[in-house]
Amino acid sequence: MAERHGFDVLSVFGDLMYQPSLFPLLVAARHTRRIRLGAACLNPFTLHPVEVAGQVAALDLASHGRAYLGLARGTWLQQVGVAQTRPLRRIAETVQIVRRLLAGDDGGFVGREFTVAPGTALRYAPARAGRAGAGGHLGASRPPGPPPRSPTR
């Protein structure tokens, strides 16, 4: 129905204490062919970047490469005792980790908020793995200052 009415994108809110956005997005992937699909928005305070990458990869597979990722610092986290310190850095590092994992990079990551050990990789191939611009549907700018250190292979 969304495609018949000319929509290009379907976003599903991923707010805490509501149904996770992945389920309705997977249903939409099954019933659409053209529109881009994504959560609006996941947050790196309740989901580790590796889990975020797994959700994007699963949706990307189900939608044949139409997934995108929305990230935000989240809301209502104070109700469950989750502090939201350094949200820009946390979001920026999440974007870097998710892009690497979606591209099949298992070189690891060492940042100020997150660490991912070398050898960590998704155990299945996302739809965009190995393509030029893998992770290209991830939009965020890096906060000012030097980039986080990452290990070399």
Side-chain angles (χ1 to χ4, degrees):
M1 183 163 142
E3 290 178 329
R4 273 192 316 220
H5 291 288
F7 286 90
D8 295 317
V9 176
L10 173 65
S11 297
V12 176
F13 281 92
D15 289 336
L16 196 62
M17 298 176 284
Y18 289 91
Q19 179 185 42
S21 58
L22 186 58
F23 175 72
L25 288 167
L26 289 172
V27 171
R30 188 176 202 186
H31 296 284
T32 60
R33 298 287 170 252
R34 177 185 57 75
I35 62 174
R36 292 180 57 208
L37 305 167
C41 293
L42 301 178
N43 81 75
F45 291 98
T46 58
L47 289 173
H48 190 278
V50 173
E51 177 63 26
V52 171
Q55 288 193 27
V56 173
L59 181 58
D60 215 43
L61 281 171
S63 68
H64 305 286
R66 295 180 289 132
Y68 74 89
L69 172 60
L71 287 172
R73 70 183 193 110
T75 189
W76 299 310
L77 299 183
Q78 70 279 3
Q79 290 178 295
V80 294
V82 175
Q84 294 171 292
T85 57
R86 305 282 187 212
L88 293 178
R89 183 184 307 157
R90 227 171 153 84
I91 289 169
E93 288 186 15
T94 297
V95 168
Q96 291 178 57
I97 293 166
V98 170
R99 280 186 171 154
R100 289 173 187 209
L101 291 171
L102 292 179
D105 182 343
D106 67 353
F109 179 86
V110 177
R112 295 164 111 185
E113 301 294 317
F114 296 107
T115 299
V116 177
T120 302
L122 297 177
R123 303 293 187 234
Y124 57 98
R128 65 186 76 216
R131 291 191 338 217
H137 295 296
L138 302 175
S141 60
R142 187 177 61 75
R149 296 171 293 130
S150 66
T152 57
R153 285 194 196 191

XYZ file of all heavy atoms in Angstrom, residues 51-118:
512
model
N 25.035 -5.629 17.847
C 23.614 -5.979 17.749
C 22.913 -5.092 16.725
O 22.086 -5.553 15.947
C 22.933 -5.855 19.113
C 21.448 -6.131 19.094
C 21.069 -7.554 18.698
O 21.881 -8.476 18.888
O 19.954 -7.738 18.184
N 23.250 -3.809 16.723
C 22.688 -2.886 15.733
C 23.038 -3.373 14.331
O 22.180 -3.442 13.446
C 23.191 -1.441 15.966
C 22.787 -0.531 14.815
C 22.682 -0.894 17.293
N 24.302 -3.733 14.113
C 24.736 -4.232 12.798
C 23.963 -5.490 12.418
O 23.553 -5.648 11.265
C 26.235 -4.521 12.809
N 23.753 -6.385 13.367
C 22.999 -7.600 13.093
C 21.570 -7.315 12.680
O 21.033 -7.943 11.762
N 20.931 -6.335 13.333
C 19.559 -5.983 12.972
C 19.493 -5.367 11.575
O 18.606 -5.696 10.783
C 18.953 -5.040 14.006
C 18.634 -5.732 15.306
C 17.752 -4.894 16.204
O 16.988 -4.063 15.747
N 17.867 -5.129 17.500
N 20.431 -4.472 11.274
C 20.462 -3.855 9.942
C 20.737 -4.919 8.882
O 20.102 -4.939 7.825
C 21.502 -2.719 9.869
C 21.653 -2.198 8.445
C 21.123 -1.596 10.810
N 21.670 -5.820 9.163
C 22.004 -6.871 8.198
C 20.817 -7.797 7.954
O 20.547 -8.175 6.804
C 23.211 -7.667 8.695
N 20.090 -8.146 9.008
C 18.923 -9.016 8.849
C 17.852 -8.328 8.002
O 17.282 -8.941 7.085
C 18.356 -9.391 10.223
N 17.593 -7.058 8.284
C 16.612 -6.320 7.497
C 17.096 -6.146 6.058
O 16.306 -6.234 5.116
C 16.318 -4.961 8.141
C 15.293 -4.088 7.422
C 13.953 -4.802 7.277
C 15.136 -2.765 8.161
N 18.380 -5.928 5.885
C 18.938 -5.778 4.539
C 18.759 -7.059 3.724
O 18.424 -7.004 2.539
C 20.411 -5.389 4.632
C 20.839 -4.457 3.525
O 20.085 -3.517 3.208
O 21.936 -4.659 2.989
N 18.981 -8.204 4.363
C 18.762 -9.481 3.674
C 17.295 -9.652 3.309
O 16.961 -10.009 2.173
C 19.212 -10.645 4.554
C 20.702 -10.923 4.601
C 21.026 -11.949 5.678
C 21.192 -11.406 3.247
N 16.423 -9.398 4.271
C 14.988 -9.588 4.032
C 14.443 -8.634 2.977
O 13.505 -8.980 2.252
C 14.216 -9.408 5.346
N 15.035 -7.434 2.878
C 14.529 -6.424 1.939
C 15.352 -6.346 0.654
O 15.137 -5.453 -0.155
C 14.510 -5.054 2.616
O 15.831 -4.594 2.855
N 16.297 -7.236 0.487
C 17.162 -7.266 -0.696
C 17.921 -5.949 -0.871
O 17.947 -5.367 -1.951
C 16.365 -7.615 -1.952
C 15.607 -8.901 -1.816
N 16.220 -10.124 -1.853
C 14.290 -9.134 -1.596
C 15.320 -11.069 -1.669
N 14.140 -10.489 -1.502
N 18.528 -5.472 0.241
C 19.405 -4.307 0.168
C 18.728 -2.956 0.348
O 19.326 -1.937 0.054
N 17.508 -2.925 0.875
C 16.798 -1.652 1.013
C 16.824 -1.081 2.428
O 16.165 -0.091 2.718
C 15.341 -1.818 0.561
C 15.213 -2.149 -0.918
C 13.764 -2.307 -1.350
N 13.195 -3.541 -0.812
C 12.019 -3.617 -0.198
N 11.276 -2.559 -0.018
N 11.576 -4.781 0.231
N 17.574 -1.678 3.332
C 17.583 -1.229 4.727
C 18.412 0.030 4.910
O 19.383 0.270 4.198
C 18.146 -2.328 5.624
N 18.006 0.835 5.876
C 18.816 1.961 6.335
C 18.753 1.979 7.849
O 17.894 1.337 8.467
C 18.351 3.292 5.731
C 17.071 3.813 6.318
C 17.086 4.638 7.439
C 15.851 3.467 5.770
C 15.906 5.098 7.990
C 14.679 3.926 6.313
C 14.711 4.739 7.428
O 13.542 5.188 7.980
N 19.662 2.707 8.444
C 19.741 2.767 9.901
C 19.577 4.189 10.389
O 20.272 5.092 9.929
C 21.102 2.226 10.370
C 21.420 2.404 11.855
C 20.406 1.699 12.737
C 22.828 1.907 12.139
N 18.684 4.371 11.321
C 18.559 5.634 12.038
C 19.092 5.428 13.442
O 18.743 4.445 14.102
N 19.966 6.307 13.886
C 20.522 6.238 15.241
C 20.199 7.526 15.986
O 20.245 8.606 15.407
C 22.047 6.084 15.206
C 22.594 4.741 14.793
C 24.108 4.827 14.625
C 22.246 3.668 15.810
N 19.914 7.391 17.261
C 19.669 8.554 18.123
C 20.100 8.196 19.531
O 20.327 7.029 19.840
C 18.198 8.924 18.097
N 20.182 9.201 20.373
C 20.613 8.938 21.751
C 19.552 8.239 22.567
O 19.820 7.703 23.621
C 21.082 10.202 22.441
C 19.988 11.172 22.741
C 20.557 12.441 23.370
N 19.484 13.219 23.920
C 19.267 13.389 25.211
N 20.082 12.863 26.084
N 18.258 14.102 25.622
N 18.333 8.192 22.092
C 17.265 7.469 22.782
C 16.459 8.360 23.703
O 16.824 9.496 23.982
N 15.368 7.812 24.157
C 14.484 8.526 25.063
C 13.973 7.568 26.129
O 14.035 6.361 25.948
C 13.324 9.182 24.276
O 12.592 10.038 25.138
C 12.415 8.156 23.654
N 13.513 8.100 27.192
C 12.987 7.346 28.333
C 14.023 6.456 29.003
O 13.683 5.592 29.806
C 11.767 6.505 27.940
C 10.626 7.301 27.439
C 10.065 8.395 28.021
C 9.891 7.087 26.247
N 9.031 8.870 27.275
C 8.903 8.082 26.161
C 9.975 6.148 25.228
C 7.995 8.169 25.127
C 9.071 6.238 24.194
C 8.097 7.234 24.151
N 15.286 6.637 28.685
C 16.316 5.775 29.271
C 16.498 6.029 30.765
O 16.875 5.122 31.503
C 17.638 5.929 28.519
C 17.603 5.540 27.042
C 18.980 5.670 26.427
C 17.062 4.149 26.838
N 16.229 7.248 31.204
C 16.353 7.543 32.627
C 15.375 6.693 33.437
O 15.646 6.371 34.594
C 16.169 9.046 32.914
C 14.758 9.573 32.733
C 14.385 9.879 31.277
O 15.155 9.653 30.342
N 13.174 10.373 31.082
N 14.265 6.283 32.855
C 13.285 5.450 33.551
C 13.814 4.053 33.840
O 13.281 3.370 34.714
C 11.991 5.351 32.747
C 11.223 6.655 32.713
C 9.978 6.536 31.873
O 10.066 6.337 30.662
N 8.823 6.641 32.501
N 14.828 3.631 33.119
C 15.414 2.309 33.346
C 16.858 2.417 33.835
O 17.606 1.442 33.791
C 15.303 1.413 32.087
C 13.846 1.095 31.783
C 15.982 2.039 30.886
N 17.237 3.619 34.273
C 18.553 3.806 34.872
C 19.723 3.796 33.917
O 20.842 3.482 34.321
N 19.510 4.147 32.663
C 20.593 4.169 31.680
C 21.034 5.614 31.458
O 20.250 6.447 31.009
C 20.148 3.536 30.338
C 21.242 3.665 29.285
C 19.771 2.078 30.541
N 22.287 5.904 31.799
C 22.847 7.244 31.590
C 23.133 7.451 30.104
O 23.458 6.508 29.388
C 24.123 7.408 32.397
N 23.021 8.677 29.655
C 23.255 8.988 28.244
C 24.461 9.921 28.111
O 24.362 11.001 27.547
C 22.008 9.620 27.631
C 20.846 8.662 27.563
C 19.573 9.364 27.152
O 19.042 10.169 27.887
N 19.112 9.048 25.962
N 25.597 9.465 28.591
C 26.810 10.267 28.515
C 27.451 10.133 27.143
O 27.403 9.078 26.527
C 27.814 9.839 29.606
O 28.098 8.448 29.446
C 27.238 10.074 30.995
N 28.039 11.215 26.679
C 28.757 11.255 25.399
C 27.934 10.711 24.229
O 28.394 9.845 23.474
C 30.073 10.498 25.501
C 30.982 10.946 26.610
C 31.675 12.187 26.205
N 32.681 12.556 27.196
C 32.991 13.782 27.450
N 32.432 14.756 26.789
N 33.902 14.070 28.358
N 26.715 11.213 24.011
C 25.875 10.637 22.957
C 26.452 10.777 21.552
O 26.349 9.835 20.755
C 24.546 11.380 23.098
C 24.858 12.618 23.856
C 26.033 12.289 24.730
N 27.072 11.912 21.221
C 27.615 12.063 19.864
C 28.751 11.096 19.602
O 28.841 10.479 18.535
C 28.063 13.507 19.622
C 26.944 14.543 19.589
C 27.524 15.944 19.398
C 25.942 14.225 18.503
N 29.632 10.954 20.580
C 30.748 10.014 20.422
C 30.229 8.587 20.299
O 30.691 7.808 19.467
C 31.707 10.117 21.606
C 32.914 9.205 21.436
C 33.838 9.204 22.624
N 34.224 10.545 22.992
C 34.649 10.886 24.208
N 34.754 9.981 25.155
N 34.990 12.114 24.485
N 29.253 8.252 21.120
C 28.692 6.906 21.102
C 28.025 6.603 19.757
O 28.176 5.515 19.206
C 27.677 6.772 22.235
C 27.846 5.547 23.031
C 26.973 5.578 24.266
N 26.662 4.243 24.655
C 27.442 3.489 25.392
N 28.581 3.946 25.847
N 27.088 2.262 25.690
N 27.291 7.565 19.229
C 26.650 7.385 17.928
C 27.703 7.273 16.828
O 27.620 6.395 15.961
C 25.649 8.524 17.648
C 24.426 8.379 18.566
C 25.226 8.539 16.180
C 23.496 9.579 18.558
N 28.706 8.140 16.855
C 29.755 8.110 15.825
C 30.506 6.784 15.838
O 30.779 6.202 14.775
C 30.721 9.277 16.032
N 30.843 6.286 17.017
C 31.542 5.001 17.089
C 30.640 3.860 16.639
O 31.095 2.919 15.985
C 32.080 4.752 18.502
C 33.260 5.636 18.842
C 33.901 5.317 20.178
O 33.635 4.230 20.752
O 34.682 6.160 20.655
N 29.365 3.950 16.957
C 28.416 2.930 16.499
C 28.378 2.890 14.979
O 28.420 1.809 14.376
C 27.015 3.194 17.080
O 27.083 3.092 18.510
C 25.999 2.201 16.546
N 28.320 4.050 14.346
C 28.310 4.105 12.881
C 29.570 3.441 12.323
O 29.497 2.639 11.385
C 28.188 5.564 12.377
C 28.470 5.658 10.883
C 26.810 6.112 12.695
N 30.733 3.748 12.900
C 31.981 3.161 12.402
C 31.963 1.639 12.529
O 32.342 0.922 11.589
C 33.170 3.724 13.172
C 33.441 5.189 12.876
C 34.603 5.698 13.699
O 35.694 5.147 13.634
N 34.366 6.740 14.478
N 31.519 1.132 13.674
C 31.501 -0.315 13.901
C 30.503 -0.988 12.968
O 30.809 -2.008 12.336
C 31.185 -0.628 15.379
C 32.340 -0.146 16.267
C 30.925 -2.119 15.580
C 32.006 -0.092 17.750
N 29.304 -0.426 12.854
C 28.278 -1.027 11.994
C 28.748 -1.045 10.545
O 28.619 -2.065 9.858
C 26.925 -0.287 12.145
C 25.932 -0.738 11.091
C 26.357 -0.498 13.551
N 29.307 0.055 10.075
C 29.810 0.078 8.689
C 30.852 -1.004 8.459
O 30.830 -1.693 7.436
C 30.412 1.443 8.369
C 29.392 2.476 8.022
C 30.043 3.763 7.574
N 29.025 4.666 7.056
C 29.137 5.970 7.040
N 30.233 6.546 7.499
N 28.173 6.714 6.551
N 31.778 -1.153 9.394
C 32.827 -2.177 9.241
C 32.225 -3.575 9.200
O 32.596 -4.388 8.354
C 33.824 -2.077 10.388
C 34.695 -0.846 10.310
C 35.549 -0.698 11.535
N 36.237 0.585 11.497
C 37.402 0.797 12.051
N 38.024 -0.155 12.702
N 37.958 1.983 11.970
N 31.315 -3.865 10.127
C 30.731 -5.197 10.172
C 29.909 -5.496 8.916
O 29.969 -6.601 8.379
C 29.886 -5.373 11.430
C 30.685 -5.414 12.738
C 29.749 -5.368 13.933
C 31.586 -6.635 12.793
N 29.150 -4.523 8.442
C 28.352 -4.734 7.229
C 29.237 -4.925 6.003
O 28.844 -5.593 5.046
C 27.389 -3.578 6.992
C 26.247 -3.431 7.997
C 25.383 -2.229 7.659
C 25.421 -4.696 8.095
N 30.429 -4.353 6.036
C 31.368 -4.502 4.916
C 32.184 -5.787 5.014
O 32.992 -6.076 4.141
C 32.296 -3.289 4.860
N 31.983 -6.556 6.093
C 32.729 -7.797 6.262
C 34.086 -7.615 6.910
O 34.890 -8.540 6.940
N 34.369 -6.433 7.434
C 35.643 -6.131 8.086
C 35.660 -6.761 9.477
O 34.822 -6.451 10.315
C 35.795 -4.610 8.190
C 37.111 -4.167 8.806
O 37.797 -4.982 9.452
O 37.444 -2.978 8.656
N 36.614 -7.649 9.725
C 36.728 -8.275 11.049
C 37.988 -7.815 11.779
O 38.498 -8.486 12.658
C 36.685 -9.797 10.934
C 37.901 -10.380 10.234
O 38.741 -9.608 9.706
O 38.033 -11.614 10.204
N 38.465 -6.619 11.430
C 39.705 -6.104 12.012
C 39.573 -5.562 13.420
O 40.566 -5.200 14.034
N 38.363 -5.485 13.951
C 38.168 -4.988 15.304
C 38.067 -3.474 15.350
O 38.162 -2.786 14.324
N 37.877 -2.963 16.549
C 37.705 -1.527 16.752
C 38.042 -1.197 18.202
O 37.615 -1.907 19.115
C 36.257 -1.122 16.461
C 35.971 0.332 16.672
C 36.197 1.242 15.661
C 35.483 0.784 17.886
C 35.940 2.593 15.852
C 35.217 2.128 18.090
C 35.448 3.036 17.072
N 38.811 -0.141 18.390
C 39.092 0.361 19.727
C 38.738 1.834 19.743
O 39.374 2.640 19.063
C 40.575 0.163 20.127
C 40.835 0.778 21.497
C 40.947 -1.305 20.113
N 37.696 2.172 20.473
C 37.268 3.554 20.601
C 37.255 3.956 22.057
O 37.755 3.237 22.919
N 36.664 5.075 22.333
C 36.564 5.537 23.718
C 35.311 5.010 24.398
O 35.253 4.924 25.608
C 36.591 7.052 23.736
C 37.936 7.578 23.251
C 37.848 9.021 22.914
N 38.601 9.807 23.873
C 38.627 11.116 23.882
N 37.931 11.802 22.995
N 39.347 11.762 24.758
N 34.313 4.644 23.604
C 33.057 4.126 24.149
C 32.906 2.618 23.952
O 32.314 1.944 24.781
C 31.861 4.839 23.501
C 31.857 6.343 23.686
C 31.679 6.758 25.129
O 30.835 6.156 25.830
O 32.388 7.692 25.558
N 33.412 2.110 22.832
C 33.241 0.696 22.486
C 34.560 0.075 22.057
O 35.411 0.734 21.475
C 32.255 0.537 21.322
C 30.860 0.987 21.622
C 30.379 2.161 21.076
C 30.027 0.245 22.434
C 29.081 2.591 21.330
C 28.736 0.661 22.712
C 28.265 1.839 22.157
N 34.673 -1.216 22.311
C 35.780 -2.016 21.810
C 35.190 -3.281 21.197
O 34.302 -3.895 21.784
C 36.748 -2.402 22.947
O 37.280 -1.204 23.511
C 37.884 -3.263 22.437
N 35.674 -3.621 20.025
C 35.268 -4.859 19.358
C 36.557 -5.596 19.028
O 37.436 -5.055 18.348
C 34.444 -4.571 18.082
C 34.093 -5.867 17.364
C 33.187 -3.773 18.416
N 36.692 -6.805 19.515
C 37.920 -7.573 19.339
C 38.153 -7.939 17.875
O 37.193 -8.230 17.146
C 37.863 -8.847 20.172
N 39.421 -7.929 17.440
C 39.732 -8.419 16.094
C 39.178 -9.840 15.934
O 39.189 -10.632 16.876
C 41.254 -8.410 16.044
C 41.644 -7.374 17.047
C 40.625 -7.485 18.149
